[in-house]
C-alpha cells in the first residue's frame, strides 16, 4: 500500500515535467530545422577573403586563442562560491514562514561566515578591475 | 493539448520577438527625432518579416580556422534555453505549459545555460573580438546571475513557494513590489545586465569590440543569437511581473491581457533605457555589481527576515 502510494506520487512528478521535455524537443527541432532549411535555400560561394576572421581589414595577425586576463578566472571562482550560497538560500526562503526565529538566526550566521570570505576577497583586491 | 500549447507558445514568442525589434527601432527612432522603418508595409509594419526572410536566405560564413561543430552548435545552445524557459511561465490563471513546484529555480537554472552558448561562440570563432566579447559576457553574466538569484530571495520568503502559480496567488492582496522595493530595483538592474542590454551591453560594445561574441556570425545563426537575446528580455520581464507585479492579476480585463500589458511595460522600459543611457565601463560594471549590489542584496534578505518575523 505504502509503495504504491509513493509510486503514484513519483508518477505525478514525472507527469508534470513531461510537457517540458516535449517543449525541449520542439525547441531543438525548430532550431535544427531552421538551420537545415536555410542551408538548402541560401547561396554558398566561399572565398579566402570572406573566410578569414574579421580584423578591421588587415590580414589576421596570429591565432586568437591566446592567454587571457586572470581577472576572468577570479570572477569565475567567486561565482562558484556565491552561487552555491544562493542555492542554499532558496529552500530556506521557501520554508521561512515555518522555521521562524531559529532558522533566521542560523541563516544569518551562515551569511556572516560567507561575508568574512567576501571581505577577505575585497581586501585582497579580487573585486578590483584595473 | 500539450502540443497545441507548445506551438502557440513558440509562435507567440517568435511573433513578439519579431515585433519587439520593430518596436525598438521605431521607439528609438522617435526618441532621436527620426521616423524609423517606413518602407516595408504601412509604417514599416512588415519590416520584421522582411528582415527574417533576408536572414534566412543570407550566405552563412564559417571562418576557416573556426571550430566548425562548436561554431554551429553554440547558437542552438543559446536559443533552446531561451525558449524552454517559457514552459513554466503562467501567462494567465489557466494558460501555462507545466505546473512544477520548483518553477523559479527552473527558470534561473535553464536561463543560466545560455551563457555556454555565448562563451562557446566567442571561443570557436577564432577571432580576437569574438573571444574578448565571449569572456566579458561570461564574467558579466555569471556575476549578475548571483545578484539576480539573491534579489529574488525576498519575494520568495513572502510567497513561501517556488511555484510560479502560487507566487502569483500569494499576491492577491498586495503586490510584492510594495513590500520589496529594494529587491525590485536590484532585480531590475541585474536583469538588464543579465540580458546584456544598455547600459550594460559591454559584451557587444560596438565601439571597441565590433559586435562582441557574434562578430563572425552571419545569416540564420546570427538571427538565433538575436532571437535568444530578445526572448531572454521577455523572460526577465515576465519574471519581474510574476515576482513583483502580481502576474496576471488585475481588475476588469482578462488575466492574459494584464500579463501582456505588464510585460509590455517592462519591454518598453528596456528600449527606453537603450535610447537614454550611455554605456558603463567594464570596471564600473564590476564595481557596481560586487561592491554595491551584493551587500544590498544581503541587507534586503536580512531586513525581510526581521520584518517578516516581527510583523507578519
Amino acid at each position: 500500500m505504502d509503495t504504491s502510494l509513493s509510486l503514484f506520487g513519483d508518477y505525478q512528478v514525472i507527469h508534470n515535467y513531461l510537457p517540458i521535455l516535449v517543449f525541449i524537443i520542439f525547441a531543438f527541432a525548430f532550431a535544427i530545422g531552421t538551420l537545415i532549411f536555410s542551408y538548402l535555400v541560401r547561396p554558398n560561394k566561399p572565398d579566402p577573403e570572406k573566410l578569414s576572421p574579421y580584423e578591421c581589414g588587415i590580414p589576421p595577425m596570429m591565432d586568437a586563442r591566446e592567454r587571457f586576463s586572470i581577472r576572468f578566472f577570479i570572477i569565475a571562482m567567486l561565482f562558484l562560491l556565491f552561487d552555491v550560497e544562493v542555492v542554499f538560500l532558496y529552500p530556506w526562503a521557501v520554508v521561512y514562514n515555518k522555521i521562524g526565529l531559529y532558522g533566521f538566526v542560523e541563516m544569518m550566521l551562515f551569511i556572516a561566515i560567507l561575508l568574512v570570505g567576501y571581505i577577505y576577497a575585497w581586501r585582497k583586491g579580487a573585486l578590483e578591475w584595473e | 493539448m500539450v502540443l497545441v500549447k507548445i506551438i502557440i507558445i513558440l509562435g507567440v514568442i517568435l511573433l513578439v520577438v519579431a515585433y519587439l525589434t520593430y518596436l525598438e527601432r521605431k521607439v528609438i527612432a522617435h526618441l532621436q527625432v527620426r521616423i524609423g522603418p517606413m518602407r516595408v508595409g504601412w509604417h514599416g509594419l512588415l519590416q520584421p518579416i522582411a528582415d527574417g526572410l533576408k536572414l534566412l536566405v543570407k550566405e552563412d560564413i564559417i571562418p576557416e580556422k573556426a571550430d566548425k561543430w562548436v561554431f554551429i552548435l553554440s547558437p542552438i545552445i543559446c536559443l533552446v534555453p531561451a525558449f524552454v524557459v517559457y514552459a513554466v511561465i503562467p501567462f494567465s490563471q489557466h494558460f501555462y505549459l507545466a505546473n512544477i513546484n520548483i518553477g523559479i529555480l527552473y527558470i534561473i537554472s535553464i536561463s543560466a545555460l545560455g551563457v555556454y552558448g555565448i562563451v562557446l561562440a566567442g571561443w570557436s570563432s577564432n577571432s580576437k573580438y569574438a573571444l574578448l566579447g565571449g569572456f566579458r559576457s561570461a564574467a558579466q553574466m555569471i556575476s549578475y546571475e548571483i545578484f539576480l538569484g539573491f534579489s529574488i530571495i525576498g519575494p520568495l520568503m513572502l510567497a513561501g513557494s517556488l511555484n510560479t502559480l502560487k507566487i502569483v496567488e500569494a499576491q492577491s492582496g498586495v503586490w510584492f513590489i510594495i513590500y520589496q522595493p529594494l529587491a525590485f530595483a536590484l532585480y531590475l538592474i541585474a536583469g538588464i545586465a543579465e540580458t546584456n542590454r544598455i547600459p550594460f551591453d559591454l559584451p557587444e560594445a560596438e565601439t571597441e569590440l565590433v559586435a562582441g561574441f557574434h562578430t563572425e556570425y552571419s545569416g540564420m545563426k546570427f538571427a538565433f543569437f538575436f532571437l535568444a537575446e530578445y526572448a531572454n528580455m521577455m523572460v526577465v520581464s515576465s519574471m519581474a511581473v510574476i515576482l513583483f507585479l502580481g502576474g496576471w492579476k488585475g481588475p476588469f480585463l482578462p488575466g492574459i491581457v494584464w500579463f501582456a500589458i505588464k510585460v509590455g511595460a517592462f519591454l518598453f522600459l528596456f528600449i527606453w533605457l537603450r535610447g537614454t543611457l550611455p554605456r558603463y565601463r567594464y570596471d564600473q560594471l564590476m564595481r557596481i555589481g560586487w561592491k554595491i549590489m551584493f551587500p544590498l542584496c544581503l541587507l534586503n534578505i536580512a531586513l525581510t527576515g526581521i520584518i517578516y518575523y516581527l510583523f507578519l
Side-chain angles (χ1 to χ4, degrees):
Chain A
M1 186 64 194
D2 195 27
T3 45
S4 73
L5 262 178
S6 81
L7 271 178
F8 184 68
D10 287 346
Y11 170 73
Q12 280 294 315
V13 169
I14 292 167
H15 184 76
N16 284 339
Y17 284 84
L18 207 58
I20 295 177
L21 183 67
V22 181
F23 198 7
I24 291 174
I25 294 167
F26 260 72
F28 267 108
F30 169 80
I32 294 165
T34 316
L35 279 187
I36 290 172
F37 181 74
S38 106
Y39 176 77
L40 293 175
V41 295
R42 72 181 184 221
N44 191 19
K45 303 189 203 86
D47 71 61
E49 297 286 299
K50 214 187 262 177
L51 293 183
S52 71
Y54 179 75
E55 208 133 304
C56 299
I58 58 167
M61 298 286 275
M62 50 200 141
D63 200 76
R65 290 161 190 145
E66 285 191 56
R67 291 189 281 182
F68 59 89
S69 171
I70 187 74
R71 296 282 162 210
F72 292 112
F73 183 67
I74 292 172
I75 292 289
M77 283 177 31
L78 288 173
F79 167 72
L80 280 184
L81 189 67
F82 291 110
D83 213 38
V84 170
E85 189 182 352
V86 178
V87 171
F88 278 125
L89 278 170
Y90 279 112
W92 173 79
V94 170
V95 295
Y96 183 70
N97 51 8
K98 299 186 188 75
I99 51 180
L101 187 63
Y102 181 68
F104 178 71
V105 172
E106 284 231 311
M107 189 46 81
M108 285 304 120
L109 281 175
F110 176 69
I111 288 177
I113 292 166
L114 267 139
L115 219 49
V116 174
Y118 171 71
I119 292 164
Y120 176 76
W122 189 329
R123 292 296 296 273
K124 274 283 178 187
L127 309 181
E128 306 297 330
W129 196 288
E130 301 97 24
Chain B
M1 193 58 204
V2 169
L3 293 184
V4 175
K5 270 186 184 170
I6 288 173
I7 288 165
I8 292 174
I9 291 174
L10 269 179
V12 168
I13 296 170
L14 289 173
L15 203 69
V16 172
V17 164
Y19 277 91
L20 192 57
T21 63
Y22 171 77
L23 185 76
E24 176 157 33
R25 291 170 71 176
K26 268 292 184 200
V27 169
I28 287 182
H30 283 283
L31 285 174
Q32 296 167 343
V33 205
R34 296 182 284 119
I35 48 173
M38 289 294 278
R39 294 284 172 189
V40 193
W42 186 75
H43 277 253
L45 264 177
L46 294 176
Q47 186 70 44
I49 294 165
D51 285 343
L53 275 176
K54 186 194 77 177
L55 283 167
L56 195 63
V57 297
K58 277 279 172 187
E59 180 171 1
D60 194 309
I61 299 160
I62 299 177
E64 52 182 344
K65 278 188 186 159
D67 213 324
K68 193 177 170 216
W69 285 107
V70 181
F71 191 81
I72 295 171
L73 260 180
S74 41
I76 301 175
I77 298 174
C78 220
L79 183 71
V80 170
F83 279 167
V84 171
V85 166
Y86 287 91
V88 298
I89 290 177
F91 299 95
S92 79
Q93 202 163 0
H94 308 292
F95 193 82
Y96 49 84
L97 189 62
N99 180 14
I100 58 175
N101 51 12
I102 56 157
I104 294 294
L105 197 63
Y106 170 87
I107 296 177
I108 295 269
S109 54
I110 296 288
S111 58
L113 291 176
V115 74
Y116 284 103
I118 286 174
V119 174
L120 288 176
W123 177 259
S124 64
S125 305
N126 196 27
S127 158
K128 293 173 190 88
Y129 297 111
L131 188 69
L132 264 177
F135 281 143
R136 276 193 185 184
S137 195
Q140 174 179 337
M141 284 173 85
I142 60 176
S143 296
Y144 278 80
E145 210 173 282
I146 299 174
F147 315 135
L148 194 87
F150 269 116
S151 63
I152 63 173
I153 298 282
L156 292 180
M157 283 162 81
L158 296 180
S161 173
L162 285 166
N163 184 315
T164 44
L165 289 158
K166 281 188 185 146
I167 291 170
V168 175
E169 285 301 339
Q171 300 175 70
S172 295
V174 184
W175 293 353
F176 285 162
I177 187 173
I178 307 291
Y179 293 131
Q180 295 281 331
L182 181 60
F184 179 70
L186 293 168
Y187 173 83
L188 205 59
I189 296 169
I192 294 167
E194 186 69 11
T195 45
N196 299 337
R197 297 285 301 181
I198 285 175
F200 302 111
D201 69 333
L202 276 306
E204 27 193 313
E206 301 90 357
T207 40
E208 37 184 329
L209 280 183
V210 189
F213 60 89
H214 58 62
T215 303
E216 295 295 336
Y217 280 88
S218 53
M220 211 54 212
K221 298 202 196 77
F222 168 76
F224 278 9
F225 283 120
F226 214 75
L227 272 175
E229 184 187 326
Y230 280 80
N232 278 328
M233 261 165 74
M234 275 163 64
V235 170
V236 167
S237 309
S238 308
M239 242 175 98
V241 169
I242 292 165
L243 284 166
F244 295 100
L245 292 181
W248 66 80
K249 291 199 178 297
F252 309 122
L253 296 167
I256 203 150
V257 177
W258 271 111
F259 192 81
I261 290 173
K262 290 172 186 172
V263 171
F266 271 101
L267 293 175
F268 182 78
L269 179 72
F270 273 96
I271 297 170
W272 190 7
L273 287 176
R274 181 177 165 188
T276 314
L277 295 177
R279 182 182 299 132
Y280 277 108
R281 275 203 325 266
Y282 206 76
D283 61 323
Q284 290 173 325
L285 171 89
M286 285 298 165
R287 193 170 68 234
I288 293 166
W290 285 101
K291 292 188 177 172
I292 300 172
M293 283 185 64
F294 186 71
L296 282 178
C297 286
L298 293 182
L299 180 72
N300 183 59
I301 294 170
L303 280 178
T304 309
I306 293 168
I307 293 170
Y308 191 99
Y309 183 72
L310 289 180
F311 298 109
L312 297 170

